[in-house]
Amino acid sequence: MGKVPINKNEKKERYQEELEERIVSLIASLFGGILKGSRRERLLSKFVENECEKIDRLMELYMRYSNRVKAETDRIDQLEFDDLEMDDEEIYIRKLEAGLYTLQLIAVILGHLWCSEHPQMRGRIELLLKQQKLTKKDVKDILQEYHDNIGDMDGPEEKERSQAKIQKFISAF
């Protein structure tokens, strides 16, 4: 998975990245586990505090991971152009290694925020997407790819449940 960090800056960067990935995963899990009631309201309210600064940060991460995945996709396209065929699974794994999974989790968090139907949050998300010349369709595409690749490790019922939840986000956007 990538090159081994050599200097202190690279180590620090890698640590920062792993920390971000864990935090994103944790927030996505919180949203997945706290489905209704006052705890859910409290979690959602965190994203409105200080003029939606957490949504700003989330979108910042969304852009960074989106750009990394796009760069990897371009590299793969170039390799395929040079006659090195890769199957879909191999391509998907390369994109995951470039940060696709974290990008998908960020999109899932955005889905939870969007589905709260909170006008201030929705407005902020739309504004930030527009500023990056993106649309809700871009987020939907990430969610769709996630939906289509949900495995059935936890059994077919759990896969169906997970896919239904993601489908709800896709429909809401």
Side-chain angles (χ1 to χ4, degrees):
M1 281 222 200
K3 60 184 189 204
V4 178
I6 305 152
N7 62 33
K8 273 190 176 147
N9 276 353
E10 277 187 51
K11 260 187 183 159
K12 195 174 163 193
E13 247 172 63
R14 187 65 205 129
Y15 172 77
Q16 191 63 37
E17 218 169 82
E18 283 176 16
L19 194 61
E20 283 171 358
E21 289 169 10
R22 285 196 186 115
I23 291 168
V24 165
S25 178
L26 188 69
I27 294 168
S29 293
L30 275 172
F31 272 115
I34 306 171
L35 301 174
K36 49 184 170 282
S38 61
R39 284 188 173 153
R40 176 117 181 141
E41 289 310 309
R42 196 160 162 224
L43 180 58
L44 287 166
S45 74
K46 293 284 173 199
F47 286 86
V48 190
E49 285 174 3
N50 299 325
E51 295 173 20
C52 300
E53 69 179 1
K54 287 181 179 66
I55 294 177
D56 294 357
R57 181 75 176 112
L58 196 61
M59 288 305 294
E60 205 181 285
L61 290 171
Y62 180 92
M63 288 313 301
R64 182 155 12 112
Y65 282 90
S66 177
N67 291 335
R68 281 174 39 182
V69 172
K70 190 186 178 316
E72 183 60 25
T73 305
D74 292 346
R75 261 194 300 277
I76 291 166
D77 291 346
Q78 187 55 49
L79 287 172
E80 295 213 316
F81 182 75
D82 296 338
D83 286 338
L84 189 76
E85 281 300 312
M86 280 186 240
D87 63 17
D88 290 345
E89 192 177 344
E90 207 176 334
I91 292 170
Y92 189 66
I93 289 168
R94 296 259 319 240
K95 286 164 67 177
L96 285 174
E97 286 172 353
L100 179 62
Y101 183 62
T102 302
L103 179 62
Q104 290 170 338
L105 290 181
I106 294 168
V108 166
I109 295 167
L110 288 170
H112 282 285
L113 297 176
W114 191 263
C115 283
S116 74
E117 296 186 4
H118 191 292
Q120 193 181 356
M121 283 197 257
R122 280 190 167 191
R124 190 61 166 212
I125 291 168
E126 284 188 308
L127 173 74
L128 294 170
L129 285 170
K130 201 176 187 176
Q131 283 177 350
Q132 298 295 338
K133 296 181 176 34
L134 293 172
T135 65
K136 290 181 290 186
K137 187 191 179 309
D138 293 289
V139 180
K140 281 169 102 157
D141 291 345
I142 300 292
L143 288 169
Q144 189 63 57
E145 188 173 18
Y146 182 56
H147 171 278
D148 296 345
N149 286 284
I150 290 175
D152 56 6
M153 230 169 67
D154 301 322
E157 296 87 9
E158 189 51 40
K159 175 181 176 168
E160 230 169 86
R161 223 185 338 269
S162 297
Q163 284 184 318
K165 186 173 69 182
I166 301 303
Q167 192 55 58
K168 194 181 107 185
F169 296 155
I170 294 167
S171 305
F173 263 107

